[in-house]
Every structure is written in structure tokens, then in C-alpha cells.
Amino acid sequence: MERKTVFKGRLLPYLLVAPQLLITIVFFFWPAGQAVWFAFLRQDAFGIRTSFVGLENFQDLFADPLYLETLRNTLVFAAGVSCIALGTALLLAVMADRQIRGAGLYRTLLVWPYAIAPAIAAVLWIFLFHPQIGMLGRALNGAGIPFDYKLNGNQAMLVVILAAAWKQVSYNFIFFLAGLQSIPKSVLEAAAIDGARPAYRFWTVTFPLLSPTTFFLLVVNLVYAFFETFGVIDALTKGGPGRATETLIYRAYIDGRVNLDLGMSSAQSVVLMLVVILLTAVQFRFIERRVHY
Amino acid sequence: MQRRSFMAGAAALGLATPTSLRAQSRTEIQFWHAMPGVLGEVVAEQVKRFNASQSAVTVVPSFKGGYIDTMTGAIAAWRAGNAPHIVQVFEVGTATMMSAGPAIRPVHELLGENGVALDPKRYLAGVRGYYSDTKGRLISMPFNSSSAIMFLNLDAFAKAGLSTTDLPTTWAQLRQASEKLKAVTATPVPMTTSWPTWVMFEQMAAMHDVPFATLANGFEGLGTELRLTGPLFVKQVEYLLAAQKDGLFRYGGRDNAADGLFVAGEAAISFMSSSLRSRLEKEAKFKWAAVPLPYHDDLTKSPKNGVIGGASLWTLTARNRTPAEYKAVAAYFQFISEAEQDLWWHKSTGYVPITLAGYEKARAEGYYAQNPGADAAIIQLSRAEPTPNSMGFRLGGMVEIRNIIQEELEKALQGQQGAAQALESANRRGNVVLRNFEKANKA
């Protein structure tokens, strides 16, 4: 049953959506439009000399083998962050959903990391993993396992993935927990009476019923990994060593803000925008079909 | 980042309110700087001294974050038409600022128009050269300058049976010292370095009088090309790779990430900014020495001057800027160039004095006798008349070029490529940056 409100005039509905539209235009369409326009320009840092160069920025971008390497890094990074963040959060949510003493306390503690700024989160990870001052880093080196994420690209990637995923676990945890609590107990009890063991119950009943939540979180996590992990990378590795942890968004930042090459940075933003639009479209088109709503 | 700008904003408000109430007739000058913590307090103190010294101008300092934040913030403000009057820009941003024609007011013009006579010769040669045009006229105002020097852990040297008075001056001697340090594990690792590009490439090129790039390292035009494949750089990178292989050198990360290794006593030899002195005085639990950087004695017997690091002050333009405001900026620049003020700045910050008079004053009052090594950077900066190879660097996109060199060096240290290949890649990629800058800045 749907309830629809029908307005008589034209003015009132437009007026009501106007604030939202205005915000979207000012904070999204305007800057995005500017990025698209800048992608076709070449200008100096101050914007004193500007010339239209057509697709030259894009040609330069795709002729650069390092850009393709960055793209590969981004895929590894996004997949790593999403898998770890979703898997850990689901496990924790299932644990916290049980009837245990102090469940409220656990839940509160598990949500905490979300309130921590990315740069501060990264500093915590430095204290863990730094080869000389980090607890784990020292312990690993002491145990004869050479660990130096400042020089080893794979280790650096692992560290940034862990740091970025850790921040996202809390967010996922809240949603998974809410999802678990909305699953009717009667369904699970019925399965239990039919003799299904807990693990079997989880994979055949709980997990499919959670799939809308999982699907939503997958999209959110991928977008997070693509767009919002800048702070963690900047504080931990600055994209290095070599370019091992440089992702698309980090490179766009470096080119635009550090190297002051706005045309190149805008071209990358446009590519990034298209990638995410495509990704979301694919997800909705193909994955949503299998989601159990 | 947000918190930082909030704090800077709060600081700016806190300072702006009382001053604007105090006197309407004073010209207010906005000064954006990038000096955090204790250094920021020294800047505020310097400004306070200036404000108290006269009645026409009030300078309002605001901390705007790191060098990059400050520079990009000022550029964005200029594009929006409300640039600060003065902005502190790090030395590698010099070429970008210099190409910004209508956005900046060159210091020699500013001073000339306002009848302030400041002879460029009063500034230290190494400092002056970096911020002057090819005619020797100052474009920006020297402010905080340092140089990279060598720091040695004397306790570790003593433990390894090395002399603590006759210290190594060449790379070959350093290699021998490192081997002895390693033999007794005086520190977990003998040698590391901060600022890999600045120390191992820029300083070495200047000291050995070898071009880093053509056209006098970019001073003579935008058409400059890198010369990173030269024998000096191959030798330097191979030296580091060999030392790493033999466990004598550990890479400590980009920029100044390795500072902590020396301070914590993890490495006995390091190459860092001379401004690290104050931190070492507070934190180091061992005896240490600060001496000029080593050189290759098979390439030169008398190394030239090193190059500076740090930042200078730029005067920015705006549509509604009045002559009185420019005059006020000139007055501030004149104030900080006074020997008395410069000496105070030198002693309170650990940066080198920017004027010769400030240096002479410090020497006359015995500052260097009491603080041995505090003049290592000054000696290194002024021991020779700068040549076209040691004047400094005027390369567009220098920040990016530095990072490219660091990336390729890292790949070499990872064992992915040899010295020659690393330098070739760095050279090729760096030249792309230079050509892009040339295209974007052609009049």
C-alpha cells in the first residue's frame, strides 16, 4: 500500500524540494561541473594563463603507465578494504547479537573507532607497525621477520588496507547488527526445530536475509575505499614506497594540490567519477537481482 | 586538516579583534605562515616586536598549516581576489611563484617604490641567490633558511673506537666509520638520511659543482632539462645501495621521516636539516656533533657551497590593494632584515641568520664558541662564491620532481632496479614535469 500526497499547484512542491536541490547544485553539480571543464584546460597554478587543450590531459593520463599501475593499486586496495571490513564486521555483529552479559558495552566499544579522525587512526597504526617505534613492527623484526612498510611495497599496502578497513568496521557493524536484529526470531527457531545446526542456520537463513544490508554496505564500502581513504594513506605512506600505495584519489590530490596541475587533477577526477558511476550501475544491475529482499 | 584550519582561524580571529579595535588608523597586513608549534610562537613574537616598534602598521600573523597547505591556500585566495599581503612559501615553490607575474610584487620593486634601501649584498650569498632573478635582484624576502648538514652520534663513535674530534669529512671515510660502527653494533644501524632528494641529489650537485639541470638549474629559463644521469648521481646512488646491502645504511622514509632514527639513537650518522638542532638539544640522550655534509674527495678537493632549504616571504597582489598596504609590507621586510632582529631570529629558531651582519653579531658575542656546530650550516652555505650549479634550483614542479626522485630511489633500494635505471626513470619522468610546467607557463 502506498500513500501519495498530491499537491494542487506546481509551486509548492518545487518550493519544498528547492533547499535540497540548491545544496546539491552548490556542493555537487557546481564543483563537479567545474572539474569537468578544468579537465579540458591547461593552466598555471594561479590561473593566469589558461588555454583550452581538448582531450590532451586525458591522452597524457592514459599514456602514462604509472596511472594504470595506480588503477591496479586502487582495485587491490578497494577489494581488500571491503572484504576485511565487511567480514570482520559481520563476525563481530553475529557475536554481539547473542545473549551475553554486557552486550551493550561491547557494542559501544565496537562503534568507537568510527568517531576517530582518519589521520589519528593512521597515527595509531604507525605506533603499531612502525619498524622502529611500533609495537608490532619491532616484535616482528625481533622475531626475525623483516618488516619495514616504509620500503616494502606489499607490506605498505597491507598496512594501509588494515588501517582503512579498521575504520570502516564500526560503521558496518552497526548496520549488520541492526540487520540481524530485524531478522524474525521465529524463522530461526523454526530452522532450529527442524534440526539445523548454528552454522547451517547462519548460511541458509541469516545470511540471505541479511543480503540487502550486505549489498548496501558493499556499495558504501567500495565508495569509501575509493574516495574517503585519503587521510589514512597520506598519514601512513604518502602513496609510497615507490608508488605502491598510491590510489586514484590520492594521485588526484597530489597532482592537484601538491603539484598544482589542475588540468591533470581534474581529468583524473572525471575518470574517477565515471569509474564509480559505472561500478554502482553494475552493482545495481547485476548484483541486486540476486539480493533477497 | 579541518581541526588545524579551525585552530588557525580561531587564532586569526583572536588576534584580529583586539587589533582592529585598538587603532583604526593603522594599516593591517595579513601574514600567512607555515610555522607550527614553537616556531610559530617565535613568528608571533617577531610580529609583536614589529607592531610595538612603530605606530603605522599592524601585522596579523595566521598559521595556515604546512608549507603545501599554506601555498595552495594563498593561491586559492589570490584566485578568489582576497590574497594575504604576505605569504611564506617554501624554497621549492620558488619557480611557481616567480612565474606568477601579476600575482606577485617582486621585493626589489616593492622596496624601490617605497624608498626602502636594502642592499641585496647584506644577505648571505647562499640565501640571496636562491630568491634572486638572474640580474641579482631579490624577488622574495629571505625568511627562514636552513641547510642540510651531517649529524654524528659521538657516544657511538667512541664505542666503536673512532675519534670524536677528528670527524669524517668524505663519503669514503664515512664508509669506513660505518663498518667499524657496525662491527660493534654501536647503534642498530650505522647510517640513515632525512630528505633523500635534498641531501643526496641537490646538495651533492651543488657541493660538487655538477649541474642538476641545464640552464643553470633553471635560473636561465623554463626550457631547462634534468641531468640526473650524470656520473655523480650514479656514484651517489650506488654508494647508498652498496651501504644498504652491507647493512650500513637504512632508508628511513621520505622527507624528514628519518629524523627520529638519529634522535632516538637508532642510527649513528644522519643527514638532516640544520634546524633539527633545537630538537636534539631537548631530546638526544647522547653526545652529538653537527658538521658540514661529506663529499667525494676523488671528485673535488674543495667542495662548493651547499644550498638552502626553508622558505621566503612573498608579497601578493589583489585588486583593491592600496599603496599604503604595500608600504606597510616594505616596512615589515625592513624590520626583519635588521641585524638585531635577525640575530634574535637565528638564536630563537635555529635557522641560519639571513644577513651577514646578523651572523657577524652572533660570532662577535661568542654564540658559536658556546654552541659548537651551530654555524655548520652557515659555513657550508658561505664557504664558496656560488656557481651556476650551486646557486639553487628554479625548477617548475620541483615538489613533484623531488617526489619522483624519492620514488625511483625507493624502487632501487627495494632491489627492483639498479642505480642507472633509477636515475634514467627519474630523469625521464622529471623532464615530463618540466615540459608540462613550461607549456602551462608560457607567456
Side-chain angles (χ1 to χ4, degrees), chain A:
Chain A
M1 269 261 271
E2 272 186 78
R3 276 178 58 191
K4 266 187 190 163
T5 311
V6 180
F7 291 101
K8 275 185 191 141
R10 282 262 174 100
L11 189 66
L12 185 63
Y14 283 119
L15 213 62
L16 289 175
V17 292
Q20 178 62 41
L21 277 181
L22 204 69
I23 287 172
T24 315
I25 288 168
V26 170
F27 290 102
F28 179 71
F29 284 104
W30 176 261
Q34 214 170 24
V36 172
W37 172 235
F38 275 18
F40 298 99
L41 302 178
R42 179 189 293 124
Q43 47 179 310
D44 66 315
F46 284 80
I48 297 163
R49 290 156 287 240
T50 303
S51 54
F52 185 82
V53 293
L55 291 170
E56 207 178 301
N57 286 328
F58 291 97
Q59 281 164 359
D60 287 354
L61 196 59
F62 287 108
D64 183 1
L66 294 169
Y67 189 66
L68 302 177
E69 202 179 294
T70 303
L71 182 67
R72 196 189 59 90
N73 284 343
T74 312
L75 295 178
V76 171
F77 178 75
V81 169
S82 302
C83 288
I84 294 178
L86 286 171
T88 317
L90 183 58
L91 185 72
L92 289 172
V94 170
M95 300 293 189
D97 190 34
R98 293 190 202 158
Q99 300 297 327
I100 42 171
R101 193 177 295 166
L105 183 69
Y106 289 127
R107 285 175 206 163
T108 313
L109 290 177
L110 283 169
V111 173
W112 259 2
Y114 196 62
I116 292 174
I120 297 172
V123 171
L124 295 178
W125 287 88
I126 290 175
F127 281 128
L128 271 180
F129 279 113
H130 193 284
Q132 279 86 43
I133 59 168
M135 282 191 310
L136 264 173
R138 282 186 89 106
L140 283 171
N141 281 315
I145 304 164
F147 183 83
D148 186 357
Y149 74 86
K150 285 180 180 299
L151 202 52
N152 183 317
N154 292 333
Q155 290 175 355
M157 181 56 107
L158 185 71
V159 170
V160 288
I161 286 177
L162 284 177
W166 176 74
K167 277 247 347 112
Q168 194 63 8
V169 165
S170 310
Y171 181 89
N172 296 347
F173 172 77
I174 300 173
F175 277 85
F176 273 135
L177 193 64
L180 285 171
Q181 286 171 349
S182 67
I183 292 174
K185 290 281 168 285
S186 53
V187 185
L188 290 167
E189 280 161 14
I193 290 163
D194 286 345
R197 289 175 179 282
Y200 191 73
R201 282 210 299 274
F202 176 79
W203 289 114
T204 54
V205 181
T206 313
F207 193 69
L209 284 172
L210 261 186
S211 60
T213 309
T214 314
F215 170 64
F216 162 77
L217 286 177
L218 183 66
V219 178
V220 169
N221 278 258
L222 283 176
V223 171
Y224 163 81
F226 264 91
F227 283 106
E228 290 165 44
T229 45
F230 160 80
V232 169
I233 294 176
D234 191 53
L236 271 169
T237 62
K238 297 208 186 302
R243 302 193 125 183
T245 55
E246 189 181 78
T247 59
L248 293 172
I249 189 81
Y250 195 73
R251 165 117 188 229
Y253 160 82
I254 291 289
D255 275 345
R257 207 172 146 79
V258 179
N259 300 338
L260 298 169
D261 186 348
L262 283 186
M264 201 52 136
S265 179
S266 302
Q268 290 172 37
S269 308
V270 171
V271 172
L272 206 52
M273 201 151 66
L274 292 177
V275 167
V276 170
I277 289 173
L278 189 79
L279 201 71
T280 315
V282 167
Q283 280 179 331
F284 275 99
R285 185 96 177 73
F286 297 106
I287 304 176
E288 199 181 3
R289 284 188 194 161
R290 295 197 206 132
V291 172
H292 209 293
Y293 276 115

Side-chain angles (χ1 to χ4, degrees), chain B residues 31-338:
Chain B
F31 171 21
W32 289 10
H33 68 82
M35 300 275 88
V38 179
L39 290 174
E41 285 164 26
V42 179
V43 172
E45 175 67 27
Q46 184 184 53
V47 165
K48 222 164 93 186
R49 285 165 162 237
F50 171 72
N51 288 344
S53 74
Q54 41 75 49
S55 56
V57 185
T58 303
V59 173
V60 182
S62 323
F63 172 61
K64 291 287 171 184
Y67 281 135
I68 285 170
D69 293 331
T70 305
M71 181 173 170
T72 45
I75 290 175
W78 187 84
R79 293 182 100 151
N82 52 7
H85 301 80
I86 306 173
V87 61
Q88 183 192 12
V89 175
F90 58 167
E91 90 285 18
V92 284
T94 303
T96 302
M97 296 301 290
M98 236 171 235
S99 310
I104 57 158
R105 180 65 60 98
V107 163
H108 68 89
E109 259 179 62
L110 175 86
L111 298 178
E113 282 164 11
N114 292 290
V116 176
L118 279 180
D119 182 4
K121 291 264 185 287
R122 66 188 287 143
Y123 303 99
L124 290 182
V127 178
R128 184 207 319 148
Y130 214 110
Y131 302 120
S132 298
D133 63 10
T134 40
K135 290 179 190 137
R137 301 176 303 184
L138 274 180
I139 307 295
S140 63
M141 188 67 199
F143 188 54
N144 59 318
S145 298
S146 59
S147 193
I149 51 175
M150 175 161 66
F151 288 88
L152 304 169
N153 181 333
L154 294 182
D155 286 358
F157 268 55
K159 197 174 164 193
L162 292 159
S163 165
T164 54
T165 47
D166 185 21
L167 299 168
T169 55
T170 68
W171 286 105
Q173 290 167 358
L174 267 186
R175 166 96 201 183
Q176 288 165 359
S178 305
E179 279 162 3
K180 290 201 178 123
L181 287 163
K182 184 181 157 68
V184 296
T185 328
T187 46
V189 66
M191 194 195 308
T192 187
T193 190
S194 292
W195 304 105
T197 316
W198 188 39
V199 172
M200 299 297 163
F201 290 79
E202 297 167 41
Q203 300 287 1
M204 286 306 122
M207 283 170 50
H208 293 88
D209 200 9
V210 163
F212 184 86
T214 59
L215 298 176
N217 288 334
F219 273 67
E220 286 164 11
L222 291 172
T224 173
E225 281 176 24
L226 294 176
R227 281 286 175 266
L228 297 177
T229 49
L232 168 71
F233 302 114
V234 176
K235 190 182 179 86
Q236 193 63 38
V237 174
E238 274 172 354
Y239 180 94
L240 293 177
L241 292 179
Q244 186 203 32
K245 192 164 148 265
D246 298 336
L248 305 176
F249 171 82
R250 183 194 285 155
Y251 180 72
R254 294 182 186 184
D255 299 343
N256 64 341
D259 282 357
L261 288 183
F262 183 82
V263 178
E266 290 268 331
I269 303 165
S270 189
F271 316 97
M272 305 185 284
S273 164
S274 55
S275 63
L276 219 76
R277 176 174 199 88
S278 49
R279 182 172 168 198
L280 279 169
E281 275 166 358
K282 254 180 259 147
E283 295 178 25
K285 295 187 183 70
F286 48 84
K287 277 209 282 283
W288 51 274
V291 294
L293 290 176
Y295 58 96
H296 295 287
D297 58 347
D298 49 341
L299 294 181
T300 181
K301 291 287 175 239
S302 55
K304 299 284 179 207
N305 63 295
V307 287
I308 55 160
S312 65
L313 302 182
W314 291 81
T315 316
L316 294 182
T317 60
R319 273 188 295 278
N320 53 358
R321 198 139 286 172
T322 63
E325 291 174 311
Y326 287 116
K327 197 176 163 64
V329 174
Y332 182 61
F333 286 175
Q334 187 175 24
F335 178 80
I336 62 171
S337 302
E338 285 170 13

